[in-house]
Amino acid sequence: MYRRTMLRTGGALAAAAYAAPALSQSGKWPSREITLINPNAPGASTDLTARIVAQALEKRLNATVIVKNVVGGAGALGPSTLAAATPDGHTMGLVAISSHITVPNMMDVKYDPWKAFDVLGQVASLRYGIGVRTESPIKSIEELIAQGKQKLLTYSSNNVTNVVAMFQLAKLSGAKFRWVVFQGGVESVTAAIGGHVDAVIQTVAEMKPQIEAGKLRFLASAATERWPDYPDVKTLRELGFNAVTNGPFGYAFPAGVDPAIRQRMESALADVMADKAVQTQISNLGIVPTYRNGADYAAFLKQIEGELVPILRETGMSKKKAA
């Protein structure tokens, strides 16, 4: 539970001088609509979740919350835009493994992921899976690996965070896979069912409609658990391959927001995520509603950094250091 910040009388003059402007500024907040930056395309899992959260926040903050899709830069544009925003509490945005770990370790960005954001909390975890078009001769992960040992296979996805399990699978099995990048998750699934790539690794929201339509064959869950909608489809780990893609995501302000405003937003986000209706809406997308407060979520991302950076280096995906 959050502890609301209490202003104490009798403190030092300097402390009172600091608190007064904070009270004044936070008392006017929110004074206009709030923009929630999402770095993925409309219709993606994070986009759909953002719209659920935004609608719920509107009721608690009595302000309009607009989801703005800022797509591009291989995932860097969204967090870069958030980091550069005015820290007045009217701009927030998605922060995840991509914003804090993969993107900064793969390319030069104009922000320090551990200093540029005031993290507000985690809201969900994505489930990933591997699929092929139904006309494909590949009917299992074992067959995917067997073919990958005979020739180079391609697979699609829209974000480097998604594809960790495929890199791990290649290393563990000796198969050869090449990642083909697409702007959005829906496009990456469309490429697979169209036969433009051999396979796809993507989330439930993007894959399930095509699985249900009979256009995509679901081979394995790349998450830590099976998908509830397809309980008979095993995880990669259950199939004997210690490969998994983690997909936590949440929200942050740009660094420097008034602490009183940040506290109010953190409390509002905590209330939203305790709402059973919100949890149900997120679950219906095939996403796991997972709440951590700001401090705990930042610490969780830091933990994942220690696990993921060595993989990026080992696979040659991390940027080269200057000589």
Side-chain angles (χ1 to χ4, degrees):
M1 294 181 63
Y2 288 107
R3 294 179 299 173
R4 297 187 181 275
T5 303
M6 302 295 292
L7 297 175
R8 300 179 182 276
T9 58
L13 182 61
Y18 173 82
L23 257 183
S24 175
Q25 183 182 349
S26 65
K28 299 176 182 177
W29 179 85
S31 59
R32 61 178 189 278
E33 70 180 27
I34 295 171
T35 298
L36 195 166
I37 294 173
N38 186 73
N40 299 308
S45 298
T46 57
D47 173 70
L48 298 174
T49 303
R51 296 180 190 280
I52 293 170
V53 172
Q55 186 177 37
L57 282 174
E58 287 184 338
K59 299 176 182 178
R60 288 159 177 82
L61 300 174
N62 195 28
T64 301
V65 181
I66 301 296
V67 177
K68 182 178 181 181
N69 299 92
V70 182
V71 183
L77 187 57
S80 295
T81 302
L82 176 62
T86 302
D88 59 5
H90 292 92
T91 304
M92 60 189 292
L94 183 142
V95 288
I97 292 175
S98 54
S99 63
H100 276 67
I101 304 168
T102 53
V103 168
N105 278 280
M106 292 179 64
M107 64 184 74
D108 292 324
V109 294
K110 297 181 179 179
Y111 66 90
D112 181 330
W114 305 107
K115 296 179 180 179
F117 309 109
D118 287 339
V119 180
L120 298 167
Q122 180 184 351
V123 298
S125 297
L126 298 172
R127 288 191 180 98
Y128 290 92
I130 300 171
V132 297
R133 64 192 181 109
T134 53
E135 296 84 0
S136 171
I138 299 171
K139 294 181 171 57
S140 66
I141 287 295
E142 290 81 3
E143 291 182 6
L144 180 74
I145 291 171
Q147 285 210 17
K149 289 181 177 180
Q150 295 176 7
K151 62 179 181 179
L152 177 66
L153 297 183
T154 57
Y155 67 93
S156 57
S157 196
N158 66 308
N159 192 303
V160 65
T161 303
N162 308 9
V163 302
V164 170
M166 289 298 292
F167 277 90
Q168 293 172 327
L169 186 62
K171 179 184 176 183
L172 292 167
S173 67
K176 296 180 180 179
F177 304 129
R178 187 180 71 193
W179 176 31
V180 181
V181 186
F182 286 82
Q183 184 172 2
V186 173
E187 291 87 344
S188 68
V189 174
T190 301
I193 64 178
H196 303 293
V197 292
D198 297 302
V200 59
I201 181 168
Q202 201 49 258
T203 66
V204 178
E206 288 85 9
M207 290 180 64
K208 184 179 177 181
Q210 301 302 337
I211 297 172
E212 295 296 305
K215 297 180 179 180
L216 192 70
R217 179 181 297 133
F218 184 25
L219 300 182
S221 167
T224 55
E225 67 287 311
R226 300 186 188 190
W227 292 10
D229 292 327
Y230 307 98
D232 295 332
V233 179
K234 296 180 178 181
T235 68
L236 290 173
R237 285 178 171 174
E238 289 177 315
L239 292 169
F241 303 99
N242 189 22
V244 63
T245 291
N246 286 305
F249 66 93
Y251 302 110
F253 279 144
V257 170
D258 182 328
I261 292 176
R262 175 178 173 178
Q263 187 71 27
R264 287 174 63 184
M265 180 61 91
E266 283 201 56
S267 295
L269 190 62
D271 288 344
V272 164
M273 294 311 301
D275 189 324
K276 296 296 184 182
V278 171
Q279 294 175 16
T280 298
Q281 290 179 72
I282 293 175
S283 295
N284 287 342
L285 297 174
I287 301 168
V288 186
T290 309
Y291 177 71
R292 285 184 172 91
N293 65 31
D296 288 346
Y297 182 41
F300 183 51
L301 288 173
K302 197 67 177 177
Q303 174 188 328
I304 295 175
E305 181 188 43
E307 301 168 351
L308 187 53
V309 169
I311 294 174
L312 294 175
R313 290 173 180 164
E314 189 173 330
T315 57
M317 296 175 69
S318 61
K319 62 185 178 183
K320 306 297 181 184
K321 294 183 178 180

